[in-house]
């Protein structure tokens, strides 16, 4: 960012009595600016909240407080809306330019209103140029993470959402200096700047939860109060950036280094989550590597999740069989498969499961219970919806992808459609990161194409089938708050694909196979759902997308409920 020859901020002595009584001189100006700052930051979230309440858009009501947040949360707010709601390249480019420039202009006004009276302010033109350029630069930095937040809406994975949010959190203290300090790239932010930025994250998180849980039009004043708090934080951060007690590492280009760190940190999240004991390991122990109790009357098919592999090992109990993403050999035994085989479309996996259910039932003469984890849970549940069979009367789902398919992007051969630019940006991100599969692999496209079913029907009862879902608490952050299930759930601490108290879950799994009802809810689950409301990308309404015309479902984003019949 070029530096204009502007004088460094110089403290000036204001008229003390004017500040004291707020009736004349500098004191009146400061008072009016401060009030104007609070009015402006409070009004904008209220306007967005009014629109959402009028539309009945419940799932997005946690987002408005971010309209006037500190950098970069404000830009993160803008781009998430844009990445979900554009239908062509020219529309995306037009709105992107408008958003970035408008954000720079708006921030200039906030900086002017927040500027401390005892510091000489640079010219308005300098601040305008600085903040407009900054708006563009922040937009460029935030854009990939906003796109990843949309990907998190598609796959409903908490670690993907966390990966999109961490760079914002890490870089926020540094960006507060860029808007007002000439040599912004050098030196560490002060402790006060770090504290105010952290407080803004807390305010936005709590305000998002309150906006969601507050009924009806009461959401609007709650959003307004959150905006006023944003204004106070703008006042404090501008002051802290201009009047630091001492700048540490004053000659070190810390801000560019922090940006590199912010980009790198999300890359370590998947390996870290892999360290948590996974479902597949204990499923092997509980079901595959030891005989089931003799009281269990079912034959069992175990469907492991995305990225799993299978070497062809036979379970210890002849009543149990591993689902193969490659199918069966001529003798009816599941074929070994590699992790790449788990990327196939849901329709193909359901067809393979149907054949395996039929062969297992014929061989054992027993009814069949399905035990699915993550993708395997979705395959099993989709099978019950698409190919209902009285042979299957029991389903256990571990870490199902709750409320997947909340956003959309068209296939690569389409040049129009909701999220067209988002899809290409995700393809570029996956390509640069050298991540296998990518956003167009058949499994992901199944979630996109059949999104209405996975949003509204996944966690619903099936006539004649006993169902339970084991949910790690991390899934509470994977979908907007509200009703998400009408089947029994067993909530337990853990992350997606990893449940911490494995012995308890093993016991409850066997209890369920023996026909005993099980359920367990935890008080923190709905609380975590509400706290995540601010950071979800706004969902695309089912009615808005022509690609979903053949699978219309009531939209939980507006009804706040699931399992409503199609009308």
């Amino acid at each position: 960012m070029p530096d204009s020859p502007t004088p460094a901020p110089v403290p000036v002595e204001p008229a003390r009595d004017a500040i004291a009584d707020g009736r004349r001189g500098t004191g009146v100006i400061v008072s009016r600016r401060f009030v104007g700052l609070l009015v402006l930051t409070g009004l904008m979230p209220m306007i967005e909240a009014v629109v959402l309440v009028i539309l009945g858009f419940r799932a997005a009501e946690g987002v408005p407080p971010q309209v006037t947040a500190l950098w970069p949360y404000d830009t993160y707010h803008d781009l998430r809306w844009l990445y979900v709601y554009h239908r062509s390249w020219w529309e995306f480019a037009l709105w992107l330019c408008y958003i970035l420039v408008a954000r720079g202009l708006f921030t200039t006004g906030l900086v002017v209103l927040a500027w401390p009276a005892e510091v000489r302010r640079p010219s308005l033109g300098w601040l305008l140029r600085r903040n407009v350029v900054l708006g563009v630069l922040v937009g460029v930095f935030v854009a990939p993470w906003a796109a990843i937040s949309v990907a998190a809406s598609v796959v409903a994975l908490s670690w993907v959402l966390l990966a999109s949010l961490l760079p914002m959190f890490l870089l926020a203290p540094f960006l507060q200096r860029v808007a007002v300090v000439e040599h912004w790239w050098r030196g560490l932010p002060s402790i006060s700047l770090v504290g105010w930025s952290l407080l803004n994250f807390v305010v936005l998180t709590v305000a998002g939860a309150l906006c969601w849980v507050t009924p009806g039009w009461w959401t609007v004043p709650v959003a307004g109060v959150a905006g006023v708090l944003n204004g106070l934080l703008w006042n404090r951060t501008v002051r802290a950036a201009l009047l630091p007690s001492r700048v540490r590492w004053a000659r070190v280009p810390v801000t560019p280094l922090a940006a590199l760190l912010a980009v790198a940190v999300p890359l370590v999240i998947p390996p870290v989550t892999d360290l948590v004991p996974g479902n597949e390991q204990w499923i092997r122990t509980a079901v595959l590597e030891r005989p089931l109790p003799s009281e269990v009357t079912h034959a069992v098919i175990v469907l492991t999740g995305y990225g799993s592999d299978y070497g062809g090992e036979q379970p210890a109990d002849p009543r149990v069989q591993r689902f193969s993403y490659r199918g069966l050999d001529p003798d009816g035994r599941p074929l070994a498969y590699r992790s790449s085989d788990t990327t196939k479309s849901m329709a193909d996996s359901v067809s393979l499961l149907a054949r395996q259910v039929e062969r297992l039932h014929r061989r054992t003469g027993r009814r069949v219970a399905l035990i699915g984890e993550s993708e395997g849970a979705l395959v099993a549940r989709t099978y019950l919806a698409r190919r209902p069979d009285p042979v299957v009367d029991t389903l256990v789902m571990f870490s199902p992808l709750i409320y997947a398919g909340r956003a959309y992007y068209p296939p690569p051969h389409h040049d129009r459609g909701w999220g067209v630019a988002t899809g290409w940006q995700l393809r570029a991100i996956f390509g640069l990161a050298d991540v296998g599969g990518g956003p167009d692999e058949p499994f992901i496209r199944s979630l996109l194409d059949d999104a209405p079913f996975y949003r509204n029907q996944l966690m619903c009862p099936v006539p004649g089938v006993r169902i339970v879902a084991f949910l790690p608490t991390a899934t509470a952050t994977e979908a907007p708050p509200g009703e998400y299930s009408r089947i029994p759930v067993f909530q337990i601490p853990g992350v997606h694909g990893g449940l911490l108290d494995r012995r308890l879950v093993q016991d409850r799994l066997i209890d369920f196979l023996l026909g005993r009802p099980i359920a367990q809810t935890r008080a923190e689950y709905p609380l975590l759902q509400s706290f995540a409301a601010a950071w979800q990308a706004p969902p695309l309404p089912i009615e808005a997308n022509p690609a979903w015309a053949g699978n219309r479902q009531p939209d939980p984003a507006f009804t706040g409920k699931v399992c409503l019949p199609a009308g």
Side-chain angles (χ1 to χ4, degrees):
M1 182 183 298
D3 290 320
S4 301
T6 182
V10 177
V12 297
E13 185 67 23
R16 293 181 181 176
D17 55 347
I19 291 178
D21 64 20
R23 289 192 299 267
R24 63 184 185 278
T26 306
V28 174
I29 296 174
V30 171
S31 176
R32 286 176 178 172
R33 285 181 177 175
F34 183 65
V35 172
L37 174 67
L38 300 187
V39 170
L40 185 59
T41 56
L43 181 62
M44 300 304 291
M46 293 178 70
I47 293 174
E48 182 169 315
V50 166
V51 174
L52 295 178
V53 171
I54 291 175
L55 295 175
F57 201 172
R58 290 283 290 147
E61 288 181 1
V63 176
Q66 297 170 38
V67 175
T68 54
L70 302 177
W71 299 107
Y73 302 119
D74 50 358
T75 303
Y76 189 60
H77 162 275
D78 300 342
L79 292 183
R80 282 180 295 158
W81 280 106
L82 175 62
Y83 276 126
V84 175
Y85 288 94
H86 69 274
R87 287 168 291 186
S88 65
W89 279 100
W90 71 265
E91 186 177 301
F92 174 80
L94 180 66
W95 280 107
L96 179 64
C97 292
Y98 170 78
I99 284 173
L100 297 183
V101 173
R103 180 57 67 181
L105 295 173
F106 184 70
T107 304
T108 301
L110 297 181
V111 168
V112 170
L113 293 174
W115 200 275
E118 62 270 32
V119 177
R120 181 176 294 118
R121 180 172 58 80
S123 69
L124 182 60
W126 184 87
L127 284 175
L128 190 62
R129 290 191 300 273
R130 167 61 66 92
N131 283 278
V132 169
V133 173
L134 175 61
V136 174
L137 290 180
V138 173
V140 170
F141 178 83
V142 171
W145 311 113
I148 290 174
S149 76
V150 176
S153 295
V154 173
V155 298
L157 286 174
S158 56
W159 73 261
V160 180
L161 179 63
L162 181 61
S164 74
L165 189 56
L166 262 182
M168 312 297 103
F169 182 78
L170 295 174
L171 203 60
F174 297 89
L175 291 178
Q176 312 318 316
R177 301 173 66 241
V178 182
V180 297
V181 176
E182 186 173 359
H183 300 293
W184 54 272
W185 63 90
R186 297 196 310 225
L188 288 171
S190 64
I191 294 297
S192 59
L193 269 181
V194 174
W196 293 126
S197 299
L198 175 61
L199 181 58
N200 193 216
F201 178 82
V202 173
V203 166
L204 295 174
T205 301
V206 174
L210 292 176
C211 282
W212 195 91
V213 301
T214 304
W217 287 100
W218 288 105
T219 300
V220 177
V222 172
V225 171
V228 170
L229 293 177
N230 287 337
L232 294 172
L233 289 169
W234 271 102
N235 177 269
R236 293 293 90 191
T237 55
V238 170
R239 175 176 290 275
L242 290 169
L243 299 171
S245 56
R246 183 163 71 94
V247 178
R248 298 179 183 272
W249 298 5
R251 297 185 178 277
V252 179
V254 179
T255 300
L257 296 176
L260 292 176
L261 177 64
V263 171
V265 165
L267 301 179
V268 306
I269 294 178
V272 169
T273 57
D274 288 342
L275 297 177
V276 179
N279 286 337
E280 187 178 342
Q281 178 182 351
W282 72 258
I283 285 178
R284 286 197 182 105
T285 303
V287 182
L288 298 175
E289 295 179 353
R290 65 175 62 173
L292 293 172
S294 58
E295 297 85 356
V296 175
T297 60
H298 286 80
V300 175
I301 296 178
V302 177
L303 301 90
T304 52
Y306 183 90
S308 63
D309 54 37
Y310 172 52
E313 306 86 1
Q314 294 301 308
D317 193 319
R319 295 172 292 173
V320 178
Q321 198 173 72
R322 178 83 173 257
F323 170 70
S324 172
Y325 286 92
R326 284 187 59 213
L328 305 174
D329 68 13
D331 295 324
R333 291 189 297 266
L335 293 169
Y337 66 84
R338 298 172 297 178
S339 60
S340 58
D341 294 312
T342 64
T343 65
K344 59 170 38 74
S345 73
M346 197 66 68
D348 289 343
S349 295
V350 165
S351 295
L352 293 176
L353 178 59
R355 288 195 289 271
Q356 194 162 340
V357 166
E358 190 272 332
R359 291 292 294 269
L360 182 62
H361 174 64
R362 187 194 313 167
R363 177 171 66 82
T364 64
R366 297 171 179 262
R367 291 184 178 272
V368 176
L370 304 178
I371 301 175
E373 185 261 331
S374 189
E375 179 188 2
L378 267 63
V379 172
R381 181 62 182 85
T382 307
Y383 163 80
L384 292 176
R386 304 287 188 258
R387 300 192 177 194
D389 188 334
V391 165
V392 178
D393 66 355
T394 303
L395 170 63
V396 182
M397 297 191 289
F398 291 98
S399 298
L401 304 180
I402 295 177
Y403 209 168
R406 300 194 304 274
Y408 183 80
Y409 49 85
H413 57 277
H414 289 208
D415 58 1
R416 286 187 61 84
W418 291 108
V420 60
T422 307
W424 281 106
Q425 185 157 346
L426 289 173
R427 293 175 191 115
I429 292 170
F430 275 75
L432 291 173
D434 194 24
V435 177
D440 292 304
E441 66 183 23
F443 170 61
I444 302 299
R445 285 248 57 103
S446 295
L447 298 181
L448 291 163
D449 294 340
D450 293 330
F453 169 77
Y454 296 112
R455 285 164 68 164
N456 185 48
Q457 296 292 326
L458 176 70
M459 302 290 286
C460 301
V462 176
V465 181
R466 297 176 63 243
I467 305 178
V468 68
F470 286 83
L471 303 179
T473 48
T475 61
T477 66
E478 293 171 359
E483 183 184 68
Y484 63 91
S485 176
R486 291 194 181 178
I487 61 174
V489 297
F490 196 93
Q491 298 166 358
I492 192 167
V495 299
H496 181 86
L499 301 172
L500 298 183
D501 194 342
R502 291 184 288 164
R503 176 59 63 87
L504 172 64
V505 176
Q506 285 180 211
D507 293 342
R508 296 293 84 78
L509 170 61
I510 299 301
D511 287 343
F512 189 75
L513 292 178
L514 290 172
R516 300 166 187 160
I518 65 169
Q520 174 177 286
T521 58
R522 300 181 64 89
E524 69 271 18
Y525 200 93
L527 194 62
L528 290 173
Q529 272 192 291
S530 297
F531 282 150
W535 307 112
Q536 305 286 348
L540 180 67
I542 292 174
E543 289 290 333
N545 192 1
W548 296 335
N551 189 17
R552 294 291 192 214
Q553 297 278 340
D555 196 338
F558 292 86
T559 65
K561 297 183 180 298
V562 295
C563 304
L564 297 178

